[in-house]
Amino acid sequence: MGQATEVKLYQREGAYIPRVAAVHDLCGYGKCSLGVAIPVLSSAGCDVCPVPTGLFSSHTAFPGWYMHDTTEILSDYLNAWKGIGVDIDAVYSGFLGAPEQVDIIRGIYETYPKALRVVDPVMADHGKVYPTYTPELCEAMAELAADADILTPNLTEAAIILGEPIGDEWAGVDISDAEAHRLVDALLAKGAKNVVLKGIQRGDGVIRNFVAGQDFDMFEASNEFVPYMLHGTGDLYCSALLAAVMAGRTMAEAVRFAGDLTHDAMLVSAQQPDFRDRGVSFEPLLGRVSALLA
């Protein structure tokens, strides 16, 4: 096994601008999903090609949100790409609207077999499944996770992927190193090539991510714990990680960059009105993403 400081999953070539198919929902208010992925990856010099899995009036923490499921349009949408010769270097999926969308993503994988597969299995947190996720959709997401080149679950999502029960005992995020290693190893054994287990908290002012791959040993990347929750931080973390990967950085560099950027964006967010509702504010930090290309 090597070290994560040596492992690059994408080699940037000269002036070439890589294309990323971003398979996420589009949210009108409350920064998350495509509203995060497009600016972050674009700042890293990527051509972001959105594949909207649903249209939301706002994120689901607001009351009275509206969702439009786009499943029925996606096959024609993607077939039109084939007709004009679109090429894709990475497929980055997040929040999905229906189990059938997993089949659509598998179709994208078949069309672009050399593309990097990044799965952020957005479906649950703190022991609770998100309100639009059915058991069938959770099962389909777990199957998709096994095909990932990069998989970025939190603890609850890791348990769902592994078929382990979730409940009150998963409401907390305090687990031992040994348990974190067990979960990461089990996700690798299930098929994911590189795993980032996010958000381990132990009440000591630190938030930890455990990272391992089929080609490098386990390591821990940590940041100061910021004592409030914000919508969209998971999307920001994974988008920043992929931005660094597509800029040609190693996995170790990408994980640490993503953690630092998310931490600092949470501090920026606290300076905004109604910040707990409106989501993570990362816009003033996009220059740091662009600097990945320097």
Side-chain angles (χ1 to χ4, degrees):
M1 295 285 282
Q3 299 296 318
T5 52
E6 302 165 352
V7 173
K8 292 185 178 182
L9 301 184
Y10 183 80
Q11 188 65 49
R12 192 86 172 214
E13 298 290 347
Y16 177 72
I17 296 175
R19 296 186 182 95
V20 178
V23 191
H24 296 254
D25 67 284
L26 180 61
C27 184
Y29 186 77
K31 287 171 282 189
C32 58
S33 307
L34 286 175
V36 175
I38 292 172
V40 171
L41 287 164
S42 296
S43 295
C46 295
D47 177 3
V48 186
C49 305
V51 182
T53 59
L55 304 179
F56 281 79
S57 58
S58 68
H59 64 62
T60 58
F62 285 104
W65 48 268
Y66 167 81
M67 175 192 176
H68 175 74
D69 184 346
T70 61
T71 303
E72 66 180 18
I73 73 166
L74 291 180
S75 292
D76 289 342
Y77 183 104
L78 292 165
N79 283 335
W81 280 11
K82 295 178 186 178
I84 57 174
V86 173
D87 199 8
I88 295 295
D89 299 286
V91 181
Y92 168 29
S93 62
F95 184 96
L96 303 181
E100 295 80 7
Q101 292 182 353
V102 170
D103 294 329
I104 290 167
I105 293 172
R106 291 190 186 282
I108 301 174
Y109 291 168
E110 291 175 4
T111 303
Y112 308 104
K114 295 182 180 179
L116 189 69
R117 302 175 181 183
V118 181
V119 178
D120 187 13
V122 182
M123 55 181 166
D125 201 1
H126 291 85
K128 294 183 178 180
V129 177
Y130 295 146
T132 60
Y133 267 72
T134 63
E136 293 78 15
L137 181 50
C138 288
E139 182 179 349
M141 182 74 89
E143 293 173 357
L144 185 67
D147 292 331
D149 292 314
I150 302 175
L151 178 66
T152 61
N154 59 38
L155 279 175
T156 307
E157 291 158 351
I160 293 171
I161 291 166
L162 295 171
E164 299 183 4
I166 62 171
D168 292 341
E169 67 273 19
W170 284 96
V173 284
D174 177 4
I175 62 171
S176 66
D177 285 3
E179 178 65 1
H181 289 193
R182 181 190 72 81
L183 290 169
V184 172
D185 286 342
L187 291 166
L188 291 171
K190 193 173 176 68
K193 294 183 176 62
N194 300 276
V195 174
V196 183
L197 180 64
K198 303 179 300 185
I200 311 305
Q201 302 164 26
R202 295 178 181 155
D204 59 356
V206 176
I207 189 165
R208 296 171 172 83
N209 301 318
F210 289 84
V211 189
Q214 294 182 355
D215 297 322
F216 63 88
D217 297 323
M218 186 98 57
F219 72 96
E220 177 187 313
S222 61
N223 289 92
E224 174 195 29
F225 173 67
V226 181
Y228 44 83
M229 298 291 292
L230 290 178
H231 204 83
T233 51
D235 296 319
L236 178 59
Y237 181 92
C238 194
S239 296
L241 189 156
L242 180 56
V245 167
M246 300 308 289
R249 302 305 178 95
T250 67
M251 274 298 289
E253 291 171 327
V255 167
R256 293 192 171 101
F257 176 80
D260 291 345
L261 190 79
T262 303
H263 168 272
D264 293 352
M266 292 185 73
L267 300 183
V268 170
S269 302
Q271 302 172 43
Q272 313 308 313
D274 302 319
F275 76 96
R276 292 180 186 272
D277 295 327
R278 65 187 291 183
V280 62
S281 295
F282 56 87
E283 295 86 349
L285 304 178
L286 288 174
R288 285 167 50 178
V289 184
S290 299
L292 289 166
L293 300 175

